[in-house]
Each structure stands twice: as structure tokens, then as C-alpha cells.
Amino acid sequence: MRKELIPAILIILAMMTACYFIVADLKSGPKTEEVVEAEEIETQLTKEDTAIVIFRDTEEKILNFQSVTSGEKYALHYTGTTEIADQYGEAMSMAQVPLGEIVDLVYSVHSKSVQTIQISSETWTYTDISKYSFDEATNTMYVADEKYMLSKELVIASQDEIVELMDINEQDILTIKGYNRVISSIIIDKGHGYLRLKNDEYFVGGWIEVGQSIIKPVEEDMLLVVPEGDYKVRMSRKGNIGEFEVAIKRDEETEADLSEIEIQEVEKGMVAFDIIPGYAELKIDGEVTDYSEVMEIEYGVHQIVVKAEGYKTLSNLIKVGAPLANIEIELEEEEDESDSSGSSSTSSSMSSSVSTTIPTTLDNTTQGSSADTTSSSTTSSTDIIDPTSTAKVHIDGPAGVEVYIDGSYVGVAPTSFTKVAGQHAVTLRKDGYQTRSYSLILDSEESSVTYSFSDLLKDGTE
């Protein structure tokens, strides 16, 4: 026993002596070999990444990221010493870094804390995007006439929430970010709200104009999707008009009581039509009209339809707003089935597409082929009715919500409506709950589709 005990005591004393000298060495401050090794280990535990900000809690100082390269999601915390800069290296605050932003970061793997965050300078950014469309079948996005691929790990942010592609309404203003021709994130800079008309009986069958972007026929129980902002709204019917101003807030419903607006008699302008071919039939607001002479038309929006045998039918909106105007229309000939190249009008000032309506504002003394045109949202309930189609869009849930298609009331879910190809806004509403809208892109196949959406959140719920 004694022989075994003595070596054990010597070993313990040796270890204590070694520990003493290590501690003493660290306290004395010389740069020893042990300290260098510790710094190398700390360096190895630091990681760099390019990632998208997908969650931010400024109170708890927590950030969630999604790696651009791998798609991996992870959480880190930041402190008052975390360096935050824009792409040019200028200091900025965490509140200035929105969800959906792509950043280069350096963080400690061991402590899960961010050391530096900088807006990535390796990515491209396009802002104020208003002309765009999506093709979910090919996972692509068209910005004007440019085509981009959507990342499989695409992040879409709206204020402090990560949303889905169908949450984007065609009237929203976007910022897109990405690498090469691939979009990694989309930020909804300017969203949309909702306008409900109350006591609208007098104007049913007339027109509503919201700013310069929305022109629609007035129907009962409408709920319009409107870009957030301040607008002048103009109501018109049978020669009478009423105007009021409205402020639309994102994701909120605004009610306008039409019984409170002053109704005025509208002015009239003289309009001359020059139509090729000369035997074409002209309908204004559904009535066949003799356009051989100058006619008097009330100021405001009117729907025209021009038909002629052997030519494509033109359906459009005009907005009369001047004492005298001239409209020149040349219809496009129908294509011969054997002629795949087709032909197009060279002098018409208006599109001959039936599915797209472009309002022409007649506010000059003379109006010809150089008429100013501005695109507007003009879909009405008649646009979603196709008597030849048997395909339906079924909205199964959430049960009990009011369903609107492009602003027109459809029914209470579960409900359905005729399927018509194109992009449509489906809005869900229920008293006491937050109104929500989704963008649906429907194909032209003669097959029905079914959608079931998430439950609406109660008012005041985050």
C-alpha cells in the first residue's frame, strides 16, 4: 500500500504545480504558446455566411436567417457591440434592416452571437417594381419584359411577416433581390387594403374610379382591393356623379358611406368616332349607337364594344373628360387558320383584346391615334362568367367567410365560381376577423380546382 501511495501523491503534486504555472502565466500577460492556440480555436469557431433575414425580435435581440447557398435556417442573437452596416460600409441600426434583406454576416458558432452584419454588396436589388407577373408552372417571374428564375428557397416579406407567393396582389409595389438571374427574396414595399361601399344602391350599374388605377362597374356588396395610399374616388351613374376622398391602409378595411356624398349633374362632351371598317357596329354602355355623326356623351367612364364580320371584336373603356374629342379605331382582321403569322393593327390607339380593357382618357380638344392611355384594373363580375365553360373554382374554406373574386361578391364558403384563365384576386372576409386576399393564377384547362385557405385571424391578433 505504501509503495503505491507515494507515486500517486507525487503525480497530484506535479499536476498542481503545472496548473499553478499556467494560471500565473496567463495573469502575467506574456503571449505564450497556450494563448495563441486559444485564439486559433476561437477563429475556427467563427463562421461567415450570406443569408436572408427572416425574423427579427428587437426586444430579445434575436435574428433568424436563411442561408442563400444552402437554404439552412438558424437563429442568432446580437448585442450592442454587433457592427451593422449598409453595402457601402456606412453604419446603420438593426431597425433599418427589413425582413427579406440579404446580408453578409460573421458569427460565433460557439456563442451563437452575430459579430458583424452588412447588407450584401454581391447581390442586385431592383426597387419600385409595379409591372410584373408570375408563372408558377415554370417557377419564374417576369419583370416588365425580363424573365427571372425564382429560388426554390424564395423568401417573401411583408412588413414584419414572412408570407407566401399568393399573398402578393398584382397592385403591390415590390423590391426584388437576388444573384445572377435568380430571385432570392421579394419585399412588399407597398401593399394593399380594402374599400367597402355602404348605401351604394343609387350607383349600382354605374362606375367607380379609385385614383387612376381602378375603374370598375358598381355592383352590390363590392369589396375592392386597393393599393395603400390616399385617393380621390369618383362615382358616376346616368349623368350624375359624386366624389369623396379615402385613405387606404395596408391589410385594413375602409368603409365609404355613399349616402353622405353630394351628387352633382355631370357635364357632357361632343365625341366623334372614326371606325374602320365603316360598317362596324358600335355599342356604348350596351346600346347600339349611330356614330355617323358627332354625338353627345356624358363625362365619365363608358364601355364600348366594336364588332364587324371578319374582324376581331374590340372591347374597351373610354373616359370622356373634354368638350370635344375624336376617337379613331381600326379593327384587327381575324387570322386565317392557315396563316400562323397573323397580322396586327398599325394605327389603332386601343388594344383589340377582349380580355384586357384599357381606359382612354379624352381630355384634349382633339383626340386621335396619339391618345393617352393608362392601364387600370377593370375586371367585373361579367369577366369571370363564361357560359361555355364547365370548369369551376371551389373555395372550401375557411367555412363561413365571405368570398369575393376581383371585388365582386361570390358567396359564403364553401362556394364556387366559373373558372376563367388569368390572374384573379380572391378576398376572404368575416366580421370580427382580419380581411385577407390571395392572388390566384388560373390555367385554361377545362378542369375544376379547389382551394382551402388558412383560417382568418381575429381583429387585433398579431
Side-chain angles (χ1 to χ4, degrees):
M1 291 290 291
R2 269 180 157 179
K3 290 182 180 180
E4 294 177 359
L5 181 61
I6 291 172
I9 294 172
L10 291 175
I11 291 172
I12 292 171
L13 289 172
M15 291 177 63
M16 292 176 63
T17 304
C19 290
Y20 170 78
F21 281 113
I22 290 173
V23 173
D25 191 39
L26 291 174
K27 284 184 176 180
S28 62
K31 195 172 185 181
T32 64
E33 186 175 349
E34 287 81 355
V35 174
V36 172
E37 290 177 355
E39 289 180 351
E40 290 177 354
I41 293 173
E42 181 65 25
T43 301
Q44 293 172 2
L45 293 176
T46 298
K47 187 175 181 180
E48 298 180 2
D49 194 15
T50 298
I52 306 170
V53 182
I54 59 175
F55 175 79
R56 178 183 60 206
D57 187 334
T58 54
E59 291 185 2
E60 298 295 331
K61 299 194 177 206
I62 296 175
L63 295 170
N64 286 8
F65 298 94
Q66 177 178 297
S67 176
V68 170
T69 54
S70 67
E72 176 190 1
K73 296 181 175 68
Y74 51 90
L76 302 172
H77 70 268
Y78 64 96
T79 66
T81 61
T82 300
E83 298 179 9
I84 308 171
D86 62 16
Q87 63 266 42
Y88 307 109
E90 298 293 330
M92 58 189 300
S93 67
M94 186 58 68
Q96 294 175 294
V97 183
L99 296 193
E101 186 62 84
I102 302 178
V103 297
D104 297 323
L105 61 146
V106 178
Y107 64 94
S108 169
V109 176
H110 176 68
S111 63
K112 301 294 183 183
S113 61
V114 185
Q115 296 178 0
T116 64
I117 298 176
Q118 182 170 0
I119 307 300
S120 179
S121 58
E122 299 299 320
T123 60
W124 50 258
T125 299
Y126 297 148
T127 60
D128 296 326
I129 304 298
S130 59
K131 185 180 180 181
Y132 56 85
S133 63
F134 297 96
D135 187 341
E136 295 186 60
T138 59
N139 200 39
T140 55
M141 178 180 183
Y142 290 86
V143 179
D145 297 325
E146 297 292 325
K147 180 180 179 181
Y148 298 85
M149 291 298 298
L150 296 175
S151 168
K152 292 181 179 179
E153 304 294 338
L154 176 69
V155 172
I156 304 174
S158 176
Q159 293 182 317
D160 292 327
E161 182 183 5
I162 298 299
V163 298
E164 300 178 4
L165 188 62
M166 64 168 54
D167 288 301
I168 298 178
N169 186 276
E170 62 182 344
Q171 300 181 57
D172 294 344
I173 306 298
L174 311 178
T175 287
I176 59 175
K177 297 173 176 287
Y179 289 90
N180 299 324
R181 306 289 295 182
V182 179
I183 298 174
S184 299
S185 73
I186 298 175
I187 300 174
I188 303 176
D189 292 321
K190 187 175 181 180
H192 56 272
Y194 308 93
L195 175 62
R196 174 176 292 282
L197 304 179
K198 181 181 178 182
N199 296 320
D200 59 353
E201 295 84 0
Y202 176 81
F203 290 101
V204 171
W207 295 89
I208 178 172
E209 303 170 54
V210 184
Q212 299 296 318
S213 62
I214 297 176
I215 302 176
K216 289 180 177 288
V218 180
E219 304 170 18
E220 294 182 1
D221 300 320
M222 292 185 74
L223 184 63
L224 300 178
V225 180
V226 181
E228 60 179 314
D230 298 329
Y231 299 94
K232 176 177 285 188
V233 180
R234 177 188 174 101
M235 311 291 301
S236 60
R237 178 179 177 270
K238 293 184 177 180
N240 296 314
I241 63 170
E243 295 182 338
F244 61 93
E245 296 182 351
V246 66
I248 302 295
K249 297 181 180 179
R250 188 185 295 202
D251 299 328
E252 293 186 14
E253 184 177 316
T254 300
E255 187 177 78
D257 189 346
L258 301 188
S259 66
E260 298 178 355
I261 67 174
E262 182 180 351
I263 298 177
Q264 305 171 1
E265 185 175 354
V266 73
E267 297 181 66
K268 296 181 179 180
M270 304 303 293
V271 181
F273 285 89
D274 183 4
I275 301 177
I276 299 175
Y279 62 84
E281 177 188 82
L282 170 65
K283 284 186 178 180
I284 300 179
D285 297 332
E287 296 184 5
V288 178
T289 304
D290 180 8
Y291 57 91
S292 59
E293 297 182 358
V294 176
M295 65 187 72
E296 192 176 49
I297 302 179
E298 300 162 353
Y299 278 21
V301 179
H302 301 274
Q303 185 172 43
I304 65 170
V305 177
V306 185
K307 293 182 179 180
E309 186 176 352
Y311 293 84
K312 293 182 179 180
T313 298
L314 181 147
S315 177
N316 218 314
L317 298 182
I318 61 171
K319 183 179 178 181
V320 179
L324 179 63
N326 180 68
I327 302 177
E328 296 179 0
I329 300 173
E330 183 174 347
L331 294 182
E332 185 178 341
E333 292 186 12
E334 289 184 342
E335 295 180 4
D336 191 332
E337 292 183 1
S338 62
D339 182 10
S340 59
S341 61
S343 60
S344 61
S345 170
T346 58
S347 62
S348 174
S349 64
M350 291 182 280
S351 169
S352 59
S353 169
V354 176
S355 60
T356 303
T357 52
I358 303 177
T360 303
T361 304
L362 310 176
D363 53 5
N364 298 318
T365 304
T366 303
Q367 194 71 42
S369 59
S370 61
D372 294 333
T373 62
T374 54
S375 297
S376 297
S377 174
T378 57
T379 306
S380 67
S381 61
T382 56
D383 295 317
I384 60 172
I385 297 175
D386 183 356
T388 65
S389 176
T390 58
K392 299 287 185 180
V393 176
H394 301 282
I395 307 297
D396 279 359
V401 302
E402 300 169 10
V403 179
Y404 299 80
I405 174 71
D406 297 323
S408 300
Y409 179 73
V410 174
V412 175
T415 187
S416 62
F417 53 89
T418 303
K419 178 185 176 185
V420 173
Q423 183 168 333
H424 302 278
V426 173
T427 305
L428 309 178
R429 181 191 179 277
K430 187 176 182 179
D431 287 341
Y433 292 79
Q434 296 177 16
T435 301
R436 195 74 183 261
S437 66
Y438 300 92
S439 183
L440 301 185
I441 300 177
L442 304 178
D443 58 39
S444 57
E445 299 294 327
E446 277 294 317
S447 57
S448 297
V449 293
T450 300
Y451 291 91
S452 185
F453 300 99
S454 302
D455 290 338
L456 298 181
L457 298 176
K458 289 188 176 181
D459 282 339
T461 305
E462 295 294 335

